[in-house]
Amino acid sequence: IIRVVITKLSGGTEEISATFTVGSLVLTPSSISEAMIKGSTRAITVQVSSPGQLTDVTASNVPSWASVTPSSGITSPGSFSILLDTSTVPVGSTVTAAVTFTSSLSGLSVSLPLSLQALDGSALLLGVSPTSLDMIGKPDTGDTAAVITITAHSAAPTATYSLTCDESWLSWTISGPANPTATQTILADTNGLAEGTYTATCVLSAPQYADVTIPVTLVLSPNNCLPVVCADIKVDVPHSITFSQNNGGELRDKNGVETGFTYMFPHKPGSGTALDAYIPQNLEVDMAKGELHVEATPGIEYKTNNNANNLLSFGFAAPNQLTYLSTWVMQPYDANTNGNFEQAGVFFGIDQNNYAKVVWTTYKEGGSTKYALMMVVEENGEILLDEKAFVLNQPEFSYQVRILVDPFEMKVFGDYSLNGVLWFPLGEVSNVPGEWFSFDAAGIDPIIGTRSFGGISASRRHNSQTCIFRFKDFHLKVGERPPPEVDFEFTKKSISINHPTNMAFGPDGRLYVTVLFGDVYAITYDNNLNAVDIDKYTTLPDDLGDRLTLGIAVDPRSTANDIILWLAHSSPHLRGGGLNSGMLSMMRGSKSGGFNQISHPVKGLPRAEADHAPNSLHFKNGKLYLSVGGNTGAGGAIREPSDFGKREEQWHSAALLELDVLNSNFDGMCYQNGQNPFGRDTGCDVKNWATGLRNSYDFVFHSNGQVYATDNGLGGARTGAFPVRPTPPCFGFASADPVSEGGQNPLQQTDLLYNLKKGKYYGHGNPARDECVYKDGSYQGVDPHPDFDPFIADLGMHASANGIIEYTGGSNGCPVLEGDLLILRYSSGDDIRRVELSADGLHATKITTVAFGFNDPLVIRQNTKGDLFVAEHGSGKITSLRFKNC
C-alpha cells in the first residue's frame, strides 16, 4: 500500500493511498522432465517473463547434472538455456531438483522443478508398425500410398523423428514429433516404372534413438481386380444369369442395375486397366425384355489390338469338368451394322491375347455385305483358327452361340444354333495351352482361384455409327462325361471356411485349419461329423499382419488343455513374395483360454517371388520337418517375364528341411546377421534333409518307415528353365527357349510321387547347392547327379497333386485301404487317388480313384476313427467323408 501526503499552498494537508499487486516471474515451461540416454546432454530453452523490465535475474540451487546459461544477469522478458547432462546419473535412476531464479531488485523469485532419468541407449527404439511395407500398384498411374505408425519409447514420450529413403520413387510427408505416436504417409510414384518388383530401404531416425530400418517392397502389375471384388470373380459351375432381374455384382449398367457378371477383362498390359475397359454408360439392362443391351465400341480382342471394352465375364474352374459357355445374340441384323466386321457373341480365355470366341459378324466381300457365324482362336497373338459359317440376312433371326471347354482332351469347340435345339459346328482347336484351363495353380491369385474366364464380347470394329447388340441370358453348364469308376461310397458333409490351406487334428479332438492369410479355425465335430462348434483365432495376423500361411502342425508336447501349434508362413504377396520372408511361428493356447501366446522361433526361410513358399510341416521323432518350394520353375533363373521373376535358388529352397526345434539350443534365425542370402552360410541350425523338390506341398511319414511326397511339375510353357550348365558352378540366367530350340526350358512336366530318403536329390536343380543336373540328366545329355533318386509314380499332367496321407483305418474306416497312400489332385481330376504300394514300400503298384467331385481339393487328413477330411480351396469348404461301404 502506498500513501501520499500532499501539503497544500493554501494550507492544510491531504492524504491519498493506493493498493498495488506486485507481479511474479513466470517460466515457460514451468517444469522440465526428461528421459535421456546415459551419457547424453540436452539443452532446453526456457522463456522468462515479468511485470516489467528486469536485468538481474540470477539462478541458484543448480544441481551438478544441470547448468544454466547465463546463470546471472538474466533479462526478463527474455530466455535462458538449461543443459541437462546424464553422465553422472546411474542408468535407470531418476534425479530431481528445483532451481531458483531471483531478481534482487524486485525481490521476485520462482522455482523450476527438474526431473532427469538416464536410460540404456541400446534399448531405446522407436516403435514402427508395420515393420516393413509391402506396396502394390499399377505402372504409370501415379502415387500409391502406405502409412506407418511411429511410437516413441514409453520412457521418452516425445521423439522428433526424420525419415529418409534410398530410392527416388519414394517420397514422404514432412517429419515431425511422435508424442507419443505419429503417422507417416509414404508414397511410391509408379510413373515411369515398369511392371515388376522394386525394393527400397527407409531409415527412421530420432535424436538419442537407434535408427530403425524399414524395408519396402513395391509390386507393380497392370492387372488387378478393379472394378470388381477378387473373391467374387470365380463362380461355381453350373451358373446362369437372366437379365429380367437384378443379378447382383459390382458391374452395373448406366442406370446402376447390376448385370450379374463378376469380372472385367483388362486391356493388354501397358495399355490400360480393367477400369479403362469398363464403360457402364454403354450398358443397359432391359428387365422387361430380359436383355442386356451393349453399345459396342471399336475396341476388339484381335492380334495386337487387345483393346476390347466391356468384356463382361465370369471366372470358373475350367479343369474340373466339361463346360459349355453360351448366350443368345438377339436379332443382330437390327444393331445398325453395315459390313465393317461388327460382331457379338461368347468368348473363353485368359486374356485378350489368348482366347476362343464364337460371334455373329458381318463384313464386305466383292462389294456386298456378308453375314456369318465365326469362331476365332488366338494364342499369344497368333490366330490358330478363323472359321466362318455364312448365313442369310434374316432380320428376325437370333442366334445362340456356344463354346465347349474340354480340359480332358485339351481342346475348345464352337457351335451355334437358331433355336437352341439344332446345333451347327463351327470349329475345334486341340492342344490348347494348359494355362487356359488353370491346371497349374502356381501364379494364380488364390483369392480369385482361376485364370480361366468366359463371357460376352461385342465390337463395332470399323463402323463409325452407333451399334447396339442385345444379349439374352448367359449360361455356364456342365457337359456330360462318364464318371470315373470307384469302389467306395461316402456320406459327405461340408462346412464353409474360405480359402483353407492346411489342417491338423489336436489332442483336444478339434480339427485345426489354416486359411490363406494366417487365421486359424478350430472345428469341433460330433460323432456324426456335424460341426457343432467353430472357433476362429487371428493370433498370427494380429501380431504380424497378413501372412501367406500354408502349413500347420501340432507340437508333440501338446495336451488337450495346452495346444501348441506350429505355423508355416511367408510374405502375403502371391507375386513379388519377399526374399527370405519364410517363418515358423509357435502359437499356444486352448479352447477355454484362447490362443494369445505366439513366438517366431524360425525366420529367414526361402520364399519365391511366385507362390512357392514354406508348405506343409510334420513332426517325427521329436523333430520338425518342413517342405519348402523352389524359387524357380525348373532350377535356373530366367530373364523372361514369369511369375518367378529373376530370383535364383537358395540353400534351403526346393527341399525338405529338418529342424530340431524342441532342442533348447536350436537356432532358427537364418540369414539374420548380414549373411549373403544366396550363400551357404545361413547362420542357423536348419538342415536340408532331402533336396531337388520343385514344390512338394505335402509329405507323409509312413508306418512302414518310408517317407512319401508329392511334387508339382512345371506347369507353364515358358515359366522355367533348368540351370545354365550341368556342372558347377551353374549360377546365372538360363534360356527360357525350349530344349528343342537350344534353350533350357523342359516345358510342361508331370506331377510325381517320391519315396524320399535322407541326403538324396530329386531332380529340381539348385545352383546354390551345386545341383546342376535336371532330373535324370537326359534333357542335358549327361548322367544323373550322384545323389539322384527317381520317382516311384507318375501322377499325371496338370494334376497339381498336393495333399497326401497314409490311410490308417479306424472304427468307421475301410480296412482294405489301410497302408495305402491317399493323394489329392487339385486341378485335373479334383479327386482322391489311392496309391497301393509294394510289400517293401519302395514302389507304387496301382493307382485308382477313391472319390471325386471336389473343387480344388488341397489337403487331406484322417481322424482316429477312419473318417476323411478334405480342404476344398476352390469352393471354400471343409468336407468330411465317412465310408458307407468298403
Side-chain angles (χ1 to χ4, degrees), residues 254 279-284 292-298 309-310 458-460 465-471:
K254 64 182 182 181
I279 309 175
Q281 62 267 29
N282 285 23
L283 304 173
E284 183 177 21
L292 173 62
H293 299 171
V294 179
E295 181 181 333
T297 69
N309 296 307
N310 284 335
S459 172
R460 62 177 166 90
Q465 302 178 30
T466 300
C467 297
I468 298 178
F469 290 103
R470 298 154 47 207
F471 293 88

XYZ file of all heavy atoms in Angstrom, residues 254 279-284 292-298 309-310 458-460 465-471:
212
model
N -25.640 -48.362 -66.983
C -25.654 -46.905 -66.842
C -26.684 -46.416 -65.844
O -26.597 -45.279 -65.356
C -25.906 -46.261 -68.207
C -27.260 -46.579 -68.831
C -27.373 -45.936 -70.198
C -28.722 -46.190 -70.852
N -28.796 -45.567 -72.209
N -17.018 -49.587 -69.368
C -17.753 -48.379 -69.758
C -19.225 -48.607 -69.427
O -20.013 -49.060 -70.267
C -17.565 -48.067 -71.259
C -16.076 -48.065 -71.621
C -18.200 -46.731 -71.607
C -15.813 -47.879 -73.098
N -19.622 -48.319 -68.197
C -21.007 -48.626 -67.794
C -22.053 -47.855 -68.578
O -23.175 -48.353 -68.745
C -21.025 -48.256 -66.301
C -19.864 -47.347 -66.105
C -18.831 -47.763 -67.087
N -21.704 -46.651 -69.084
C -22.706 -45.886 -69.839
C -23.070 -46.549 -71.154
O -24.051 -46.163 -71.809
C -22.218 -44.453 -70.087
C -20.964 -44.338 -70.907
C -19.708 -44.272 -70.044
O -19.688 -44.823 -68.940
N -18.693 -43.585 -70.534
N -22.302 -47.574 -71.559
C -22.615 -48.324 -72.778
C -23.399 -49.593 -72.495
O -23.599 -50.411 -73.388
C -21.334 -48.674 -73.530
C -20.727 -47.486 -74.258
O -20.985 -46.352 -73.903
N -19.937 -47.741 -75.278
N -23.837 -49.773 -71.265
C -24.565 -50.975 -70.868
C -25.939 -50.589 -70.350
O -26.096 -49.583 -69.639
C -23.809 -51.727 -69.761
C -22.367 -52.129 -70.055
C -21.725 -52.703 -68.807
C -22.315 -53.138 -71.201
N -26.939 -51.396 -70.705
C -28.275 -51.174 -70.176
C -29.011 -52.499 -70.055
O -29.147 -53.242 -71.033
C -29.080 -50.232 -71.063
C -30.467 -49.918 -70.483
C -31.245 -48.922 -71.317
O -30.923 -48.770 -72.519
O -32.165 -48.290 -70.778
N -29.701 -57.719 -72.079
C -28.625 -56.780 -71.790
C -28.238 -56.115 -73.103
O -27.832 -56.799 -74.049
C -27.414 -57.495 -71.181
C -26.152 -56.642 -70.995
C -26.407 -55.495 -70.025
C -24.981 -57.499 -70.533
N -28.356 -54.809 -73.178
C -28.019 -54.068 -74.385
C -26.620 -53.486 -74.231
O -26.325 -52.802 -73.233
C -29.025 -52.953 -74.624
C -30.412 -53.448 -74.825
N -31.521 -52.619 -74.880
C -30.910 -54.712 -74.991
C -32.618 -53.342 -75.064
N -32.272 -54.614 -75.120
N -25.757 -53.775 -75.213
C -24.373 -53.323 -75.186
C -24.122 -52.424 -76.385
O -24.224 -52.872 -77.537
C -23.392 -54.511 -75.205
C -21.953 -54.010 -75.213
C -23.639 -55.428 -74.005
N -23.824 -51.166 -76.112
C -23.397 -50.270 -77.179
C -21.918 -50.534 -77.434
O -21.065 -50.228 -76.599
C -23.619 -48.805 -76.793
C -23.203 -47.835 -77.878
C -23.392 -46.387 -77.500
O -24.282 -46.100 -76.666
O -22.650 -45.536 -78.033
N -21.623 -51.132 -78.572
C -20.270 -51.600 -78.859
C -19.345 -50.429 -79.169
O -19.753 -49.394 -79.693
C -20.291 -52.580 -80.020
N -18.068 -50.613 -78.838
C -17.022 -49.649 -79.184
C -16.159 -50.251 -80.294
O -16.282 -51.450 -80.612
C -16.144 -49.346 -77.966
O -15.363 -50.509 -77.650
C -17.006 -48.956 -76.769
N -15.242 -49.487 -80.874
C -14.365 -50.053 -81.914
C -13.358 -51.064 -81.373
O -12.750 -51.820 -82.142
C -13.638 -48.824 -82.482
C -14.461 -47.658 -82.088
C -15.093 -48.021 -80.782
N -13.591 -53.482 -75.069
C -14.214 -52.916 -73.874
C -15.431 -53.740 -73.469
O -16.038 -54.437 -74.288
C -14.652 -51.468 -74.135
C -13.474 -50.567 -74.419
O -12.521 -50.517 -73.650
N -13.526 -49.852 -75.537
N -15.754 -53.653 -72.196
C -16.957 -54.305 -71.654
C -17.000 -55.798 -71.970
O -18.044 -56.340 -72.361
C -18.223 -53.614 -72.173
C -18.477 -52.291 -71.471
O -18.041 -52.091 -70.341
N -19.186 -51.389 -72.127
N -18.510 -57.814 -77.652
C -19.184 -57.036 -78.689
C -18.241 -55.945 -79.185
O -17.541 -55.312 -78.390
C -20.476 -56.412 -78.159
N -18.216 -55.741 -80.514
C -17.376 -54.692 -81.108
C -18.059 -54.158 -82.367
O -18.615 -54.935 -83.153
C -15.992 -55.241 -81.470
O -15.247 -54.299 -82.207
N -18.005 -52.831 -82.564
C -18.471 -52.266 -83.833
C -17.324 -52.121 -84.818
O -17.520 -51.664 -85.948
C -19.178 -50.935 -83.609
C -18.332 -49.810 -83.014
C -19.185 -48.536 -82.931
N -18.616 -47.487 -82.107
C -17.800 -46.530 -82.550
N -17.436 -46.521 -83.820
N -17.342 -45.606 -81.724
N -20.677 -45.594 -86.717
C -22.007 -45.313 -86.187
C -22.247 -46.096 -84.890
O -21.478 -46.983 -84.522
C -23.076 -45.676 -87.211
C -22.926 -44.953 -88.545
C -23.981 -45.383 -89.541
O -25.086 -45.758 -89.169
N -23.643 -45.331 -90.822
N -23.324 -45.751 -84.228
C -23.683 -46.445 -83.000
C -24.237 -47.830 -83.314
O -25.152 -47.969 -84.133
C -24.727 -45.638 -82.209
O -24.168 -44.369 -81.881
C -25.146 -46.367 -80.946
N -23.670 -48.857 -82.665
C -24.153 -50.239 -82.817
C -24.519 -50.768 -81.439
O -23.665 -50.782 -80.542
C -23.091 -51.128 -83.443
S -22.605 -50.672 -85.108
N -25.745 -51.202 -81.284
C -26.194 -51.745 -80.004
C -26.590 -53.199 -80.200
O -27.523 -53.507 -80.960
C -27.364 -50.931 -79.433
C -26.916 -49.487 -79.173
C -27.880 -51.574 -78.143
C -28.018 -48.596 -78.659
N -25.871 -54.107 -79.519
C -26.182 -55.537 -79.572
C -26.969 -55.921 -78.328
O -26.751 -55.383 -77.231
C -24.908 -56.365 -79.662
C -24.197 -56.252 -80.976
C -23.058 -55.463 -81.113
C -24.665 -56.927 -82.091
C -22.400 -55.350 -82.325
C -24.013 -56.827 -83.312
C -22.880 -56.031 -83.430
N -27.875 -56.888 -78.533
C -28.753 -57.339 -77.460
C -28.428 -58.794 -77.112
O -28.421 -59.658 -77.980
C -30.207 -57.209 -77.883
C -30.634 -55.762 -78.172
C -31.805 -55.700 -79.159
N -32.861 -56.644 -78.798
C -33.704 -57.182 -79.679
N -33.603 -56.861 -80.972
N -34.643 -58.020 -79.284
N -28.142 -59.010 -75.824
C -27.835 -60.356 -75.331
C -28.963 -60.821 -74.420
O -29.527 -60.034 -73.654
C -26.522 -60.365 -74.539
C -25.293 -60.079 -75.368
C -24.871 -58.771 -75.572
C -24.568 -61.104 -75.934
C -23.741 -58.492 -76.310
C -23.442 -60.844 -76.693
C -23.025 -59.533 -76.879
